[in-house]
Amino acid sequence: MDTPERNQIAAPISKFEDSPVFNYINSLSPIKPVKSIRITQAFSSLTFGSLPSIFTSPHVSSSHKESRFLRSHQDSDPSNIGTSCKDENKIPTAERDVSDVAQLAENESELQENFDILVPIGESSVEPLDEHQEFALDLPQSLKYDCGSPNSDPTPCSIAADCTVSKSDAPVVEKNSQIDLPDGRSHQEGTSQQKNDTGCGWESLALESTDLLIFSSPNDAAAFRGLIQRSPDVEVGYFTSMVSNFPENEVSEELKKQLLYQLTFNEQHEAEEPSCQPVDPSEQKDTNTLPNGVAISNLDNHTGTYLSVNMDNEVGAHIPFANKPISDLPRGMRRRCLDFEMVGTQQKSLDGGSGGISSPLLKSDENDIPKNKQLVVVKGGGDSSRCIVPGIGLHLNALTSTTKDSRIVKHESLLSDVQALNVHMSTTSLQSPLTNQESLHKSLTLSNAEEMDHDNGLQVAEEVSQAPTDLNYEENGQTSPRKKRRRMENGGESETCKRCNCKKSKCLKLYCECFAAGVYCIEPCACQDCFNKPIHEDTVLATRKQIESRNPLAFAPKVIRSSESASEYGEDSSKTPASARHKRGCNCKKSSCLKKYCECYQGGVGCSINCRCEGCKNAFGTKDGSALRGPDCEEEEETEKCEKNKAEKIPWKMENENNDELNLASALPSTPSGFRRPLVQLAFPSKLKQPRSSFVTIGSSYALHSSQKMGKPDLLLPPPPKFEKLPLTNMEDEIPEILCSSSTPTASIKSTSPNSKRVSPPHSDFGTSPNLRSGRRLILQSIPSFPSLTPQH
DNA sequence: GAGTTTGAAACT
DNA sequence: CAGTTTCAAACTC
């Protein structure tokens, strides 16, 4: 009661200290008032009181929304929570970082202690989460679901989730400063009041969660809008409740205030101009860039994205992250994710191959999520990074364990932050969306490679800031130095970095490797009249949809590998093929499947039943299965060739593997389509797409986050059954992916599959599919991905 | 670097 | 579904 006013941030502290409540708390908490003030204390006290209330609140009974919420909650795994927390941390951290570096540093130390998660940056944000684990869990889950749901925009989702979470956190903090400050005790009261104000804090929460879910899954503009609109209130209430929980938190109050202000501001904005948002984006694009009419037309579909853009425009300056993140970030994230995700995914995909499949669809993509993480690396690393990082997420896990972990995390967080920053900056700077995206792209590429080198996100940020110019540069001349870089790195194509040389397809057809991989064309590309750029996102998405409608698996990884195969590969590239197979199979007639013309060979896998090749001599294994391993080249004639090939193979093959995966991953992340698809997925009915899920991409980006959250994307994917040669196996391979997507692309998809070969077999409905068990997710369309992610059930 | 070959993708 | 065309990568010189 004493402290009441938030305005005085400094004052409050003293007041708090003076206040009996504060003293009491201090006595309770191990931490001493002075420094502990900020975070840790908050944890101790707050948290729990309110949380229970939330869960217990009657709300649940009322709406199905709640039910969803509950579900999500149940589903949520601790691991997830942790991940979510991380994500949250990232975003918030970014903001905070900007605002308060010093605090961050301090917080970090604290966080580390308190938090297992190594979130260098977003300490403060993290803390709250910890405290409100339950709460956090709920939210995160919801978020996750959201993310998962819309495979379309994994990143966005993740971002959104982060944003929401972060928002919640930030707001909470702020509110705490404001509301709670009065007295730690008042927490509950304040929360209750707030709840009342908002309608019900918990309800609002539930709503949020539900909204989020809905929102995410569809990624539809409408849903998104609803989310946004609702969210504000809900968020407020939520935040308030949160705040109440954290009365003691003294996290930089100023920051919090700012955050709240931003949030509220954004909310207001949104509320005021919900419909406008979509428009704004288009406008921005139009005004800023030279969007194509097509793109614009599609804008509606992408409202979510645009919304974010709008947010930026309007609020951008004020609230870089809070709201923006949702819309803008997602976009940026997408692209990035695409790249990044691709990388990671691919590698991971090895495990299940399933991962590779990323379904464009939303949820299904969840599987991808993990991959996405990897992908993340990809982009940034540019090619090199991709190759290396491929598993950033994974690597993170692996690497991270050490001190590096923090770094890695930072990287990721940085990346996200950077993206956010980029977006923000771009928006603020009024740069055209394209530039932003591209900048992100570039930043990613640059950041990856460079980031790897540099621990500090700052550097990355710097690079990013520079990126825009580069982007323009590229666009104009495409000769930007980076291209060179990529080329250098890729050497030709390191997967993600694929460069295309399209002249007539405008990079909007599968002829274009970039497009096929779900990645935007970048500098290295020598394409002409390229439409596969962020600027033309709408067009790209639309085109993708068309292609997907034709062939749901069009963007799915072409080569599926079983976990075994992967292991084999690792040991001996030469052997692998057996486990892995090209989904469609090749149709070679003259190359004897001994040249890269052959997709099987190119993918480093042996030909399978699916192949209709003639005179198959695939070094990795013939259709007959006779030649499992290429190196030796069973066929004498080809021996020499084989040897050469082997020599080549191995090198490129390795690349291919990565590439393949990367491709998948790339496909996932890079192109926006992924997002969209997810939407489609929403309708499970839309089975078609989900299966393909190919596009996980988007999801993948999301996946990144999720993966982080999940902690083990790889694990998630159940090792696909080996398909050694059975077509079924292929099916299975796909299935896993599909499963991951959770959506049931099912038969339709397969049927549609170009090759048709595999089409039917398994189609068993996903329902039947084992993965389904994760079932809970099934509820949420988007959910699917989660399940896949989480190994467990 | 230009031209040819190849097979996937797209189209009919 | 099959046949044809288009396309861009892969390959060769």
Side-chain angles (χ1 to χ4, degrees), chain A residues 83 88 94 108 134 189 194 200 292 302 314 327 377 398 403 416 525 532 572 726 772:
Chain A
T83 55
E88 291 175 354
E108 287 180 354
E134 291 178 355
E189 293 178 353
Q194 291 174 346
C200 285
N292 293 346
H302 307 290
E314 293 175 354
S327 62
V377 175
T403 56
S416 62
C525 297
N532 185 27
D572 209 1
L726 300 178
L772 291 183

Side-chain angles (χ1 to χ4, degrees), chain A residues 101 141 155 173 302 325 418 426 487 513-514 516 711 740 762 787:
Chain A
V101 174
Q141 289 175 347
T155 39
V173 172
H302 307 290
V418 170
S426 64
R487 290 178 183 177
E513 290 186 357
C514 297
C740 293

Side-chain angles (χ1 to χ4, degrees), chain A residues 294-449:
Chain A
V294 174
I296 293 168
S297 63
N298 291 342
L299 291 179
D300 292 347
N301 292 342
H302 307 290
T303 351
T305 325
Y306 292 151
L307 290 176
S308 63
V309 171
N310 292 340
M311 294 298 292
D312 292 348
N313 291 343
E314 293 175 354
V315 179
H318 297 287
I319 306 166
F321 296 96
N323 292 338
K324 287 182 177 181
I326 296 168
S327 62
D328 290 354
L329 289 179
R331 275 194 165 188
M333 294 298 291
R334 291 176 184 176
R335 290 187 180 134
R336 287 184 177 179
C337 291
L338 293 179
D339 295 351
F340 292 102
E341 291 176 353
M342 292 303 292
V343 174
T345 328
Q346 291 173 342
Q347 290 178 343
K348 290 181 179 180
S349 65
L350 292 179
D351 2 340
S354 62
I357 295 165
S358 63
S359 65
L361 301 188
L362 317 179
K363 305 31 206 297
S364 54
D365 295 350
E366 293 173 351
N367 298 342
D368 296 349
I369 292 170
K371 292 178 179 179
N372 289 347
K373 291 178 180 179
Q374 292 173 343
L375 291 180
V376 172
V377 175
V378 174
K379 231 18 176 328
D383 303 347
S384 64
S385 63
R386 288 178 182 175
C387 298
I388 296 167
V389 180
I392 279 182
L394 296 179
H395 291 292
L396 290 177
N397 294 341
L399 295 180
T400 8
S401 58
T402 63
T403 56
K404 289 180 180 179
D405 292 351
S406 62
R407 291 182 70 182
I408 293 166
V409 172
K410 288 181 179 178
H411 274 305
E412 292 178 352
S413 63
L414 290 175
L415 291 175
S416 62
D417 292 349
V418 170
Q419 291 175 346
L421 291 174
N422 290 341
V423 171
H424 179 64
M425 293 177 67
S426 64
T427 57
T428 56
S429 65
L430 299 178
Q431 292 175 344
S432 66
L434 292 177
T435 57
N436 292 342
Q437 291 176 345
E438 289 179 354
S439 64
L440 291 175
H441 224 24
K442 291 180 178 180
S443 64
L444 291 175
T445 57
L446 292 177
S447 64
N448 288 346

Side-chain angles (χ1 to χ4, degrees), chain A residues 142-159:
Chain A
S142 64
L143 293 175
K144 288 178 179 180
Y145 284 100
D146 293 349
C147 296
S149 65
N151 59 6
S152 59
D153 299 335
T155 39
C157 294
S158 64
I159 293 167

